[in-house]
Each structure stands twice: as structure tokens, then as C-alpha cells.
């Protein structure tokens, strides 16, 4: 009897020791990829034949960096399992949900104040996770109640990041636990400070913090010395006494996990090797971005597998179109190269997920899911022990609680077990809100303000009905600020059920009087009830909230009782809001931030202005500078930087960027996409990765002004509306020159009421046919998305042929009507980068043939050199300069 009583105690001691060391019991999957070194290999033996038990459907996730293949860390749900509960974080609903592994039923849900982009960690009946709100959370695993939380950055300042209001220092170094210590990292921008933490998992107190490695002086790519550092994005990993910190698209950094001291970060040496958010480590090596590195030094050892599965003797992974096994036990690790033998393989094209559970590998690819027996044979196909006709793309596979769980990129979770049973289906349900009084109120606000897109701040969440109605009736992204925790949770659940929470509506639990919001954020500001939200109608509130309104029309719409309108107006006057206008409306009192920020200015040409001064008259941009927002629309379709295309321009709060087949406008205050205008082939000359002069020689092909954007396109000049991107006009070149034909438009400039065009430019004759095809191509102005050219365009290197560097003729038009005012012709051409306008005059440099160039060298330089020498000796009279002279 005594021996029987002792056995359970002994088992508990062993289980406690295993948990303390961060080693998972066989029935659990407590971290991303199973354990601290991210091996994706569990000892649990699953039943040979598996049957579908249940399926749960969620909305697919929108990753932070959809165009970055090296940063897939939040492209799909990444659950873990502790006991008989699955824990699932969501970057869409900013919540962590507990799910019964046997039924698929939701048990509880916990809300954070920002997206949850990484898998949580389970340890000693607790759940830990990080969020873009900058915090590490610790919850009771059974109840979902908060035990403690730890802030990763220095304060709670907010910023727009990836189109969400998050912490200035988002926690994107995913958590890992070892020896009772949780490691995580906050901030992804070295110049804003990087914070790597070791936290006592029981108490939530810091063991150490490294907050200095964001500004170390190191070698960067191209072997350039600069202040930089690790930029944590990805799940951290632990092996032995080392902590591996993924650094976004760069190689990981290695730290001493006992002290937090940086051991190595070979950013320059490995600038084009490895990289990415996924890292796995075992013994003397770590794997990252399809490459292998020596743990001790960080040196690159060669390309290797993706989706690695690590054991003490064998490494499995995808390589090319096969899944392979490599003999780690007998590998020769001698950087910069290593020798490791391929001991077995099988064909699998496009593998997306791979784990080991017991004696089998479980493999996922698009519309494929199967298991194979180990070891892998050298020459024959392995034994397929089980397969399932899955529909979708597996993103994650895990084995726990005698079950296999598969999560697809499409947002579905499949649970497979031993029992042959009728599967339980949990479809995605959306509860449509009913129309009520707040629907009418929302319509009134939208009609009165004419604001239907952008970001909206709601002071206090109230009943949640106003934010719901605004979301349903507009394209606004609404952010409610509410201090009442119970009310916040209730309305969040309501909005999740309505399918609106996250991208459309988010709630920040904070006191409206003390919350730190980024400036220039809100196109609209509303409230159900300011008094109930705890917002005082005083000077301080209006000064603070006015700073949050976006210039160029950001509007606060408040319902003020008639008897208090005069008092309210006086408060606004007392607040002394520069460029603030108070207007009445049927929806309430409107406080509008009109026009630009005092001291701000535009950048409308390639070199600032028509005179090519490269001097900005903006008085607000001064050092030190900080981060206002990051993210915005993907760069897909934008010109490659090596082609040296036209640089972006800024006009009245809009950043105008050229693409291969379109022009794009984004909001400079929030990064929000405003419009895209389809112009197939507009970036033809700059769409390559050769190191060419590009716009430095050819000049820009568009000019931005407050009333129109002028684009040199095909054989003419297209006028676009800066507010919408719609075409509002088009001008053609006049017949000019001996041939009396309409020439191609090659140069463009705008000054005052004049449109200056360069006609008949230099170009490579071999592309004339392609240009003609573009000229004949038809596009629809009503097409909401830019049409891409389907033509096979040749590679154009402007440095080889000097394309578009000069034009034969100059034509000056009235920029409103297109009327030709005068023309001028050159024997050879007007150099595009030598044309400028100012003081009522147009200046140009005329190109010549080889003999003229010789005269330039032998005649100009000696004379110029003489004058330079006389000037340096002080022998020339000084001339007072003027920027407004006659030239």
C-alpha cells in the first residue's frame, strides 16, 4: 500500500521536474513548434489511423507583412495545447481563446489591447502570450483570468502600425520559456529602442533587460559602419545557455540567456544568407531562412531545409521538391562549411507544414495531409500510414492529447483522433446587428461631416451601437477609448460576434483623459456620451483631441445640448485652436481642423520645385525625428529602387508614388491608401534593377500640384484629380518640327500657370514598337484597380542608351487649358536634368555632339578654373544674390 502511494508522488515529482526544465510532457504541445528550441518533434505516439473529430472555422488572418515571404509569423493561427485545452491567439480579434480539444467548443476568451501575432506558451497551469499592445500577459490556464502583465517598452504611447493602433514598442519577439524564465522582446525599430527581457515566469518580475542593442555601432550590409541593431520579429528560441532572437528579414542574433549579453549578430556578413522570422536550434547549429549557421560564431555554413524537424540524431525538412532526412549525429561541422549526409527522402512539392510525433512524420501541402513511417528509406517511397483529403493549405500541425490538430491558412482547425465518429462542425457565425436609433445617428454624422473613410476616434464605447452603426455604414476604422474594463469586454464580444472587431473596430481600455494617441490620426471624432465616458468639456481636452485630428478636414462631431452650445463655443475659443473652425450641423456641433499644419509645405517636383532647388520650405520637419506610423499598403507594383525612378512627391497631405502600371496616393499622416490611378506602362523606363541613372537623367514624369497631378504619359500629358486619382483632363503635343507629326512627350515641369513639356525625346529605337503598343492599349477610367500591362517589355538600361535624357523641343502651355504659348527647338536637344524655371524665366542646358563636348572640355574648364582661382584669392568683386532676380 505504501509503495502504491509513493508511485503517484514520484510521478508528480518527475512531471514537475520536466515542466521546470521546459520539456513538454508527451500529451502536451506547450509552445510554438513544441519546445524551446523549436524542434517540431514530439515523443507522443498517435494512433496509426486517425478520424476527423471536429472542425472549427475562423476568419482567415491578415498578416502584418503580406508581401514579405520571410515574415510569415502571423499568416495563420498558431495554437498550443495544455491538457485537454487548446489556446488560440488571434491578430484579427486581439484575443486569446481556450477551446476544448475533445469537442471544439470555446471555453473562455481573453481580450488584449492589440493583435496577438504569436503562439502563446503554457507552463505550470499558466498561459503566457505577447501582443502588439507591447505587453507580456500571464493568465490562469483554467479560468482565463489575468494574473499579471509586463510592459515591454518604456511607456504606453500608441502608434499606427500595420493599420492598427498599437504600442510604439510592439512585442513581436515571440515568447519562449526555459528553466522557469520567459524570454520575449518588444519594439521592431532599432532607432526607437529595442527591449529584450528575461522574466520570472512565476512572479512577472524582470531578471534582466537588454535595452541598449538597438543602437550599437556595427557593420551593416555592403560592409557599412552605422548605428543599428537587432530588430526582433519572430518567436525566440533557447538552446543550452543561448537565446536566439529572430531579427525580421535579417539573420538572428544570439544572446547569453543568463546575462542578456549579445554574443553575435553577423548582419553584414550574412546580409543575403538566411533571414526571416523562423528559427530552430539544436546542439551546435541553428537554422533560419533555409540556411544553417554555427551556434558558437553565427557563421553561415550553407543552404539547408525549410520547416525543419529536429532530433538528436536526424534533421528532417523540405528541400526543393522533396522531404529529406539528414544524419546530424555524424555531421562534420566546420564553418564556413559543413558536411551532413542525406539518409532518406520522398517527393513532396510545395510542402507547407511538417512535424514528427512518435515514430511518424506528419506532412502538409496544399490539399494534402498524410503521415509516413520512420526512418525514411534511401531509395524507395516510405510507408504512408495515414492520409486525409484535406481542402486548404496547412499552416500548422501539432500533436497533443492523443490527437492531431491541423490549422489551414484559410482559417479552419481540424482535429483528428482514434474514434470513428460523426465530426462536430463549428461554422463561423456572424450575428448581424439590428437597426436602431444609433443607425440614424450614424447616418446623420456621416452626411454632416462627409467623412466615410480613414480613422475615427470614439470617446467612450457607450452601448457599442454607435461604433457598430458607423462601421456598417462607412469604410471607417473606428477606435474607441473606454476605461471601464467590464464594458470593454462586453462590447468586444458583441463586435466579434458581428464580425466587425479588429480591422473595422477596436477598443482600447484606457482613460480618455490620459491616453497617449498619435497626432494627426483621426479623420472623424465622435462619442455616444462624453460625460459617461469621463471626458470633461474643457480647454485641455479640446487642445489634446484637436492634436489628434488629421489636418485638411479632420472633424469632431459632438452632440451638445442646445442650452450649452454657447458655453461649448466659448470653451473652443479659449482653447486657441489654430485653424480650428466651429460649425453647426443637424448631427451636432462640428469642430474642423482646416487646411495644413502651420509651417508645413509641399514637395511637388523631383527636386522640390520647378527651380530644382532641393530646398524644402517646411518649418516643421526638424531633428530629432520619431516614428509616426508604419505599414500601409504593400509595395507590390511599386517601382524597384535600383531603377532610380521618380522620387515620391507630397501635396496637401498626400504622398504620391509611382508604380509600374499606376500612380498611388497615400495619406502622409496615417499611411492609409487613398487611391490608385491605372496608367499601364507609366513606369516602363524605370522598371528594372540595373544601377542606372533613371530619373536623375530623365527627370520625373509627373508633377503634383494642389489642383492637379500632371503625368507625362504616352504621347500626351494626363491630368489627375489629387483627391480621387480620377482623370480630369489630357493634353497633346502640337505638331512640331520638320516632320509635322505629334511627337512623344519626354520632359515635364509645372510652374505658376505654365505646363512645360519636352517633345521628341531621346530613346532606344528598339523599344519603339513597345511604346506604340502602349499608346494603342485601351484602359477604362472606371476600373477601380490599376490594370497591369500584359506586354512582354524588354529590359531597358538607361545607362546604355541615354534614353529620355534630352528632348529636341520645348513646349510651354497654359496648364489649365493646354493652349500652346510658345515653343523652342534645339539642334541636338535640351538636357532634362538641366531644365529649371524661376523668376519668370526658363533655363536650359543644350546638349551637343562630340566636337562640342571637346570644346566644352578645352574651353570651358580653363576659363571656369581661372575665375574660381581669382574668386578663391578674393580678387573678384562680390555680387549680392537674390532668389527673386531676373536671372
Amino acid at each position: 500500500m505504501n509503495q502504491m502511494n509513493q508511485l503517484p508522488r514520484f510521478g508528480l515529482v518527475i512531471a514537475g521536474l520536466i515542466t521546470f526544465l521546459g520539456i513538454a510532457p508527451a500529451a502536451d504541445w506547450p509552445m510554438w513548434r513544441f519546445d524551446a528550441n523549436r524542434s517540431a518533434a514530439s515523443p507522443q505516439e498517435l494512433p496509426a489511423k486517425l478520424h476527423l473529430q471536429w472542425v472549427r472555422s475562423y476568419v482567415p488572418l491578415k498578416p502584418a507583412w503580406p508581401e514579405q515571404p520571410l515574415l510569415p509569423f502571423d499568416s495563420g493561427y498558431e495554437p498550443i495545447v495544455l491538457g485537454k485545452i487548446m489556446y488560440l491567439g488571434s491578430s484579427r480579434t486581439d484575443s486569446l481563446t481556450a477551446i476544448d480539444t475533445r469537442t471544439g467548443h470555446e471555453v473562455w476568451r481573453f481580450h488584449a489591447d492589440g493583435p496577438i501575432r504569436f503562439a502563446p506558451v503554457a507552463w505550470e497551469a499558466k498561459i503566457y502570450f505577447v501582443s502588439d499592445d507591447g505587453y507580456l500577459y500571464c493568465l490562469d490556464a483554467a479560468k482565463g483570468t489575468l494574473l499579471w502583465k509586463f510592459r515591454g517598452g518604456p511607456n504606453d504611447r500608441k502608434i499606427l502600425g500595420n493599420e492598427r493602433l498599437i504600442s510604439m514598442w510592439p512585442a513581436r519577439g515571440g515568447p519562449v520559456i526555459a528553466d522557469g524564465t520567459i524570454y520575449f522582446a518588444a519594439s521592431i525599430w532599432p532607432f526607437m529602442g529595442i527591449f529584450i527581457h528575461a522574466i520570472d515566469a512565476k512572479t512577472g518580475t524582470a531578471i534582466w533587460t537588454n535595452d541598449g542593442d538597438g543602437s550599437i555601432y556595427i557593420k551593416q550590409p555592403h560592409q557599412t559602419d552605422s548605428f543599428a541593431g537587432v530588430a526582433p520579429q519572430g518567436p525566440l528560441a533557447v538552446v543550452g545557455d543561448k537565446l536566439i532572437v529572430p531579427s525580421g528579414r535579417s539573420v538572428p542574433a544570439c544572446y547569453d540567456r543568463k546575462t542578456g549579453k549579445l554574443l553575435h549578430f553577423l548582419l553584414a556578413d550574412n546580409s543575403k544568407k538566411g533571414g526571416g522570422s523562423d528559427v530552430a536550434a539544436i546542439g551546435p547549429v541553428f537554422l533560419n531562412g533555409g540556411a544553417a549557421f554555427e551556434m558558437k560564431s553565427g557563421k553561415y555554413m550553407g543552404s539547408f531545409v525549410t520547416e525543419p524537424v529536429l532530433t538528436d540524431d536526424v534533421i528532417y525538412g523540405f528541400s526543393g521538391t522533396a522531404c529529406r532526412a539528414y544524419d546530424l549525429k555524424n555531421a562534420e561541422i566546420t564553418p564556413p562549411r559543413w558536411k551532413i549526409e542525406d539518409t532518406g527522402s520522398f517527393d513532396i512539392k510545395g510542402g507547407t507544414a511538417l512535424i514528427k510525433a512518435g515514430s511518424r512524420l506528419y506532412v502538409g501541402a496544399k490539399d494534402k495531409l498524410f503521415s509516413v513511417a520512420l526512418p525514411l528509406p534511401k531509395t524507395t517511397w516510405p510507408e504512408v500510414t495515414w492520409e486525409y483529403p484535406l481542402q486548404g493549405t496547412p499552416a500548422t500541425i501539432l500533436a497533443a492529447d492523443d490527437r492531431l490538430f491541423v490549422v489551414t491558412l484559410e482559417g479552419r482547425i481540424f482535429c483528428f483522433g482514434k474514434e470513428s465518429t460523426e465530426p462536430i462542425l463549428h461554422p463561423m457565425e456572424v450575428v448581424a446587428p439590428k437597426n436602431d436609433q444609433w443607425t440614424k445617428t450614424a447616418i446623420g454624422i456621416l452626411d454632416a461631416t462627409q467623412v466615410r473613410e480613414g480613422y475615427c476616434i470614439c470617446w467612450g464605447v457607450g452601448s457599442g451601437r454607435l461604433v457598430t452603426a458607423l462601421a456598417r455604414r462607412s469604410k471607417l476604422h473606428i477606435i474607441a477609448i473606454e476605461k471601464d474594463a467590464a464594458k470593454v469586454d462586453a462590447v468586444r464580444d458583441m463586435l466579434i460576434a458581428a464580425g466587425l472587431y479588429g480591422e473595422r473596430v477596436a477598443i482600447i481600455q484606457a482613460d480618455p483623459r490620459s491616453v497617449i494617441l498619435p497626432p494627426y490620426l483621426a479623420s472623424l471624432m465622435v462619442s455616444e456620451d462624453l460625460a459617461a465616458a469621463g471626458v470633461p468639456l474643457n480647454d485641455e481636452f479640446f487642445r489634446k483631441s484637436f492634436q489628434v485630428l488629421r489636418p485638411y478636414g479632420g472633424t469632431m462631431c459632438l452632440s451638445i445640448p442646445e442650452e450649452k452650445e454657447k458655453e461649448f463655443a466659448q470653451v473652443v475659443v479659449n482653447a486657441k485652436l489654430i485653424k480650428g473652425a466651429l460649425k453647426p450641423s443637424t448631427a451636432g456641433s462640428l469642430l474642423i481642423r482646416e487646411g495644413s499644419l502651420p509651417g508645413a509645405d509641399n514637395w511637388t517636383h523631383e527636386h522640390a520645385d520647378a527651380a530644382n532647388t532641393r530646398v524644402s520650405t517646411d518649418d516643421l520637419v526638424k531633428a530629432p525625428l520619431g516614428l509616426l506610423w508604419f505599414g500601409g499598403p504593400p509595395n507590390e507594383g511599386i517601382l524597384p529602387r535600383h531603377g532610380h525612378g521618380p522620387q515620391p512627391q507630397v501635396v496637401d497631405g498626400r504622398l504620391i508614388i509611382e508604380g509600374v502600371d499606376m500612380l498611388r496616393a497615400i495619406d502622409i499622416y496615417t499611411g492609409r491608401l487613398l487611391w490608385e490611378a491605372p496608367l499601364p506602362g507609366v513606369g516602363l523606363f524605370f522598371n528594372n534593377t540595373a544601377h542606372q541613372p533613371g530619373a536623375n537623367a530623365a527627370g520625373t514624369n509627373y508633377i503634383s500640384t494642389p489642383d492637379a497631378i500632371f503625368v507625362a504619359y504616352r504621347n500626351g500629358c494626363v491630368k489627375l484629380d489629387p483627391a480621387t486619382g480620377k482623370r480630369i483632363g489630357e493634353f497633346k503635343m502640337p505638331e512640331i518640327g520638320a516632320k509635322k507629326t505629334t511627337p512623344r512627350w519626354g520632359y515635364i515641369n509645372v510652374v505658376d500657370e505654365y505646363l512645360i513639356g519636352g517633345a521628341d525625346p531621346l530613346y532606344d529605337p528598339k523599344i519603339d514598337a513597345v511604346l506604340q503598343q502602349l499608346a494603342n492599349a485601351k484602359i477604362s477610367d472606371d476600373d477601380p484597380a490599376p490594370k497591369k500591362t500584359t506586354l512582354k517589355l524588354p529590359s531597358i538600361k538607361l545607362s546604355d542608351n541615354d534614353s529620355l535624357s534630352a528632348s529636341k523641343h520645348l513646349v510651354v502651355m497654359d496648364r489649365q487649358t493646354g493652349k500652346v504659348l510658345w515653343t523652342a527647338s534645339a539642334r541636338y536637344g535640351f538636357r532634362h536634368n538641366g531644365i529649371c524655371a524661376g523668376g519668370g524665366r526658363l533655363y536650359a542646358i543644350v546638349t551637343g555632339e562630340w566636337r562640342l563636348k571637346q570644346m566644352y572640355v578645352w574651353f570651358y574648364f580653363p576659363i571656369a578654373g581661372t575665375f574660381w582661382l581669382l574668386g578663391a584669392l578674393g580678387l573678384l568683386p562680390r555680387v549680392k544674390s537674390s532668389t527673386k532676380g531676373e536671372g
Side-chain angles (χ1 to χ4, degrees), residues 381-406:
W381 185 267
E383 178 191 358
V384 177
T385 58
W386 169 80
E387 58 184 327
Y388 181 80
L390 185 77
Q391 292 184 343
T393 304
T396 299
I397 303 175
L398 54 152
D401 189 26
D402 296 321
R403 279 157 169 68
L404 184 77
F405 301 93
V406 180

Side-chain angles (χ1 to χ4, degrees), residues 29 33 39-42 44-48 50 307-311 314-318 322-326 343-346 348 353-364 369-377 382-387 397 399 404:
W29 190 282
R33 294 178 61 83
S39 71
S42 167
Q44 176 162 34
E45 192 74 38
L46 294 177
L50 295 168
E307 294 293 319
V309 172
L310 312 178
T311 70
V314 182
I315 296 178
Y316 306 92
F318 298 127
C323 178
R324 303 183 186 277
Y326 292 89
T343 60
S345 66
F346 61 89
I348 176 70
L354 180 69
I355 71 165
K356 176 181 177 293
S359 60
R360 301 181 184 88
L361 287 181
Y362 292 84
V363 188
L369 180 64
F370 60 93
S371 64
V372 297
L374 295 176
L376 295 183
E383 178 191 358
V384 177
T385 58
W386 169 80
E387 58 184 327
I397 303 175
L404 184 77

Side-chain angles (χ1 to χ4, degrees), residues 47 91 122 145 266 277 308 333 426 532 549 607 638 648 712 750 776 806 813 826-827 859:
S91 60
T145 53
L266 303 185
S277 58
I333 301 173
H426 300 277
L549 285 178
H607 303 294
I638 298 301
V750 175
N776 295 334
M813 304 179 181
R827 181 178 180 185
F859 178 74

Side-chain angles (χ1 to χ4, degrees), residues 341-490:
E341 184 183 353
D342 178 350
T343 60
S345 66
F346 61 89
D347 294 337
I348 176 70
K349 188 176 181 180
T352 58
L354 180 69
I355 71 165
K356 176 181 177 293
S359 60
R360 301 181 184 88
L361 287 181
Y362 292 84
V363 188
K366 183 173 175 56
D367 298 330
K368 293 181 181 179
L369 180 64
F370 60 93
S371 64
V372 297
L374 295 176
L376 295 183
K378 184 74 175 178
T379 58
T380 60
W381 185 267
E383 178 191 358
V384 177
T385 58
W386 169 80
E387 58 184 327
Y388 181 80
L390 185 77
Q391 292 184 343
T393 304
T396 299
I397 303 175
L398 54 152
D401 189 26
D402 296 321
R403 279 157 169 68
L404 184 77
F405 301 93
V406 180
V407 186
T408 68
L409 287 176
E410 293 76 18
R412 291 192 294 173
I413 304 175
F414 297 81
C415 173
F416 300 92
K418 182 179 180 179
E419 298 81 9
S420 179
T421 183
E422 185 69 23
I424 303 172
L425 303 181
H426 300 277
M428 189 166 48
E429 297 179 358
V430 176
V431 180
K434 297 179 180 179
N435 292 333
D436 55 18
Q437 63 176 4
W438 292 110
T439 301
K440 183 178 180 181
T441 301
I443 293 173
I445 291 173
L446 297 173
D447 289 343
T449 63
Q450 289 300 296
V451 178
R452 287 179 166 81
E453 297 184 10
Y455 292 89
C456 170
I457 295 295
C458 183
W459 297 113
V461 75
S463 66
R465 299 299 182 187
L466 177 58
V467 295
T468 300
L470 285 171
R472 293 176 63 206
R473 299 285 177 166
S474 72
K475 295 182 180 179
L476 289 165
H477 176 87
I478 304 156
I479 302 162
I481 311 298
E482 174 61 57
K483 63 181 179 179
D484 187 321
K487 186 179 292 185
V488 167
D489 282 347

